[in-house]
Amino acid sequence: MSQYLIYGKRTEAILNTDTDQFMGPDSSFRAINEKGERVSKLSDAFSFATQEDAQEFLDAHKPKQGVIFEIRKAK
């Protein structure tokens, strides 16, 4: 059975409200967890059974301006 992951990256600097510092832009995509945070290990990423499930998650959680996402099949 295939699994799908959501990958994201910042295309412009975004203010982190917790630290009051700017983050990004990122040079590459990384998988995200259920909180929308980029993770280093795929085992920490939030996976979906179908591409449609991943798309529903993205539709329910609108990204900030300057953030883009991709849905990819896990290898």
Side-chain angles (χ1 to χ4, degrees):
M1 179 179 215
S2 298
Q3 289 187 340
Y4 292 86
L5 304 173
I6 298 175
Y7 285 73
K9 81 174 190 176
R10 296 173 288 249
T11 59
E12 56 188 61
I14 295 174
L15 180 64
N16 181 338
T17 56
D18 294 333
T19 63
D20 290 330
Q21 294 184 353
F22 283 94
M23 304 179 308
D26 302 314
S27 60
S28 62
F29 282 90
R30 282 203 183 158
I32 63 168
N33 63 14
E34 62 275 357
K35 296 178 186 176
E37 301 165 335
R38 292 165 32 105
V39 296
S40 298
K41 296 187 286 184
L42 290 181
S43 61
D44 294 337
F46 196 45
S47 63
F48 299 88
T50 66
Q51 188 172 3
E52 291 78 20
D53 291 341
Q55 186 61 53
E56 285 178 19
F57 179 84
L58 283 178
D59 292 343
H61 300 87
K62 296 296 180 190
K64 293 181 180 179
Q65 183 175 345
V67 178
I68 55 175
F69 293 106
E70 288 183 354
I71 300 171
R72 297 182 186 175
K73 191 174 186 177
K75 294 181 181 181

